Amino acid sequence: KYIDGLSTDKHFKDLKVVPVQELVFYGVKPEDGVRLGPGGVHLDPRDYHEKMASKGTVIIDVRNHYEASIGRFDKQKAVGGAEYIDPKMRKSTDFMGWLGKEETQKKL
């Protein structure tokens, strides 16, 4: 809540900043055998859409199922492009369980 005239020692009095390993926690542990690196290659929008139109590309939507269902890209199917996979996760920590399933491994 913003209040005009509040003294500077009262601004954000309950704010806490905490360092974290992951911005979105997926529950990846070292014993899972998954190595988290610095991340993928950043694509600008044009390159992303080109990649989506490419056969052999797989897009895994790691948002929760509700978010994935209300906003996603589907036009790549019409041009024979990327395969879109929605793991239908309720929360981000469901990802490792989905990734470890035999049917998931067959798709990837």
Side-chain angles (χ1 to χ4, degrees):
K1 171 171 145 179
Y2 181 80
I3 302 172
D4 281 331
L6 194 64
S7 64
T8 56
D9 64 328
K10 304 279 189 213
H11 291 188
F12 304 109
K13 68 179 188 140
D14 293 328
L15 177 68
K16 293 182 173 96
V17 178
V18 180
V20 295
Q21 293 293 323
E22 297 178 79
L23 186 57
V24 176
F25 181 69
Y26 287 99
V28 179
K29 297 181 257 15
E31 58 268 20
D32 293 330
V34 177
R35 213 176 50 114
L36 295 177
V41 175
H42 177 78
L43 300 173
D44 63 39
R46 179 176 290 134
D47 292 339
Y48 182 76
H49 285 275
E50 285 177 13
K51 207 58 161 155
M52 284 178 54
S54 300
K55 193 168 186 73
T57 298
V58 177
I59 298 171
I60 302 172
D61 197 333
V62 296
R63 299 174 296 167
N64 69 52
H65 178 61
Y66 172 74
E67 292 170 336
S69 67
I70 62 172
R72 70 179 200 202
F73 301 99
D74 283 327
K75 293 182 181 175
Q76 77 277 2
K77 291 179 189 175
V79 296
E83 178 185 355
Y84 174 85
I85 298 175
D86 175 6
K88 297 181 175 41
M89 298 184 301
R90 201 176 115 264
K91 56 190 185 297
S92 61
T93 52
D94 294 342
F95 182 68
M96 290 305 295
W98 173 82
L99 191 59
K101 290 181 180 176
E102 188 175 332
E103 62 266 21
T104 302
Q105 293 299 313
K106 289 178 183 176
K107 284 184 180 183
L108 302 177

